[in-house]
Amino acid sequence: MNKSNAWIAAALVLASAGAAAQAGSPPASTGDLLARGRYMVLTGHCNNCHTAGYIGKQGDVPEQEWLLGNPVGFRSDFGTAYASNLRLTVRSFSEEQWVTYAKGAKPRPPMPWWSVHETSESDLRAMYKFIVSLGAAGQAVPAFVPADKEPLPPYEVRRLVR
Ligand code: HEC
């Protein structure tokens, strides 16, 4: 085999390895990614806190009202925190920034950041695409109220045992 044939042979091996890797995991279509993101939002329970009235209505809230933030504060020893309007906050990140943020951020209780840290990068990317696809809507939620300040109603009290 002369030198140029050897290069062609090496290139063919690489090309077929690439094709095999692709055959194992075909690139997901946009529709598949959005469906996966929707599934992750539902089974990750994001709506329970970030969608107003979602628990009271036992999930019977139309998709266009999802993740608009919750005006009912969660009051605990940590202060009073409001589940943010993810329709506004998530799109303020690039997809790359979102993955980094979601893997490392520790928002205040009762935000279950420890579960989000465990979410795979591909699922985080799918969630990002789905949440952004819902479109920007609604307003920012009230600002966090420190534990030594009295929040305005409405809020619910959570006893968080440490
Ligand atoms: C048990 C209630 C609860 C659940 C479930 C929950 N969150 Fe939160 N989340 C909160 C609260 C409350 C805050 C505000 C915390 C603060 O003020 O620091 C928050 C903050 C956040 C923040 C940081 C603020 C922002 O918007 O930039 C992100 C991002 C977030 N949540 C995403 C999610 C996602 C994604 C899910 C589903 C996988 C989820 N949350 C599930 C209650 C919840």
Side-chain angles (χ1 to χ4, degrees):
M1 206 185 278
N2 67 26
K3 239 185 191 168
S4 68
N5 280 349
W7 275 112
I8 291 168
L12 283 174
V13 168
L14 284 176
S16 61
Q22 271 185 12
S25 54
S29 71
T30 306
D32 289 348
L33 287 172
L34 292 178
R36 179 69 185 175
R38 186 177 190 278
Y39 168 82
M40 289 304 299
V41 162
L42 276 173
T43 57
H45 308 288
C46 317
N47 281 312
N48 287 1
C49 297
H50 288 269
T51 299
Y54 197 81
I55 293 178
K57 292 175 183 157
Q58 296 178 88
D60 188 19
V61 176
E63 196 175 292
Q64 64 266 25
E65 291 170 25
W66 286 10
L67 307 180
L68 290 172
N70 202 330
V72 180
F74 293 102
R75 187 176 193 186
S76 72
D77 290 352
F78 293 86
T80 305
Y82 297 83
S84 45
N85 179 341
L86 297 178
R87 304 268 292 266
L88 298 179
T89 58
V90 171
R91 66 190 301 116
S92 70
F93 295 100
S94 70
E95 188 175 314
E96 297 307 316
Q97 288 170 336
W98 164 252
V99 171
T100 308
Y101 176 83
K103 287 279 181 194
K106 294 183 175 178
R108 300 179 187 96
M111 169 65 204
W113 50 259
W114 46 91
S115 306
V116 180
H117 288 193
E118 297 295 324
T119 306
S120 72
E121 181 179 330
S122 58
D123 281 339
L124 286 173
R125 290 182 183 278
M127 286 164 87
Y128 177 87
K129 287 191 166 70
F130 172 68
I131 295 172
V132 169
S133 81
L134 291 173
Q139 279 95 46
V141 293
F144 171 73
V145 181
D148 59 346
K149 298 271 184 316
E150 190 62 28
L152 290 173
Y155 58 81
E156 61 179 65
V157 178
R158 294 246 167 150
R159 288 182 72 86
L160 299 175
V161 178
R162 276 189 254 191

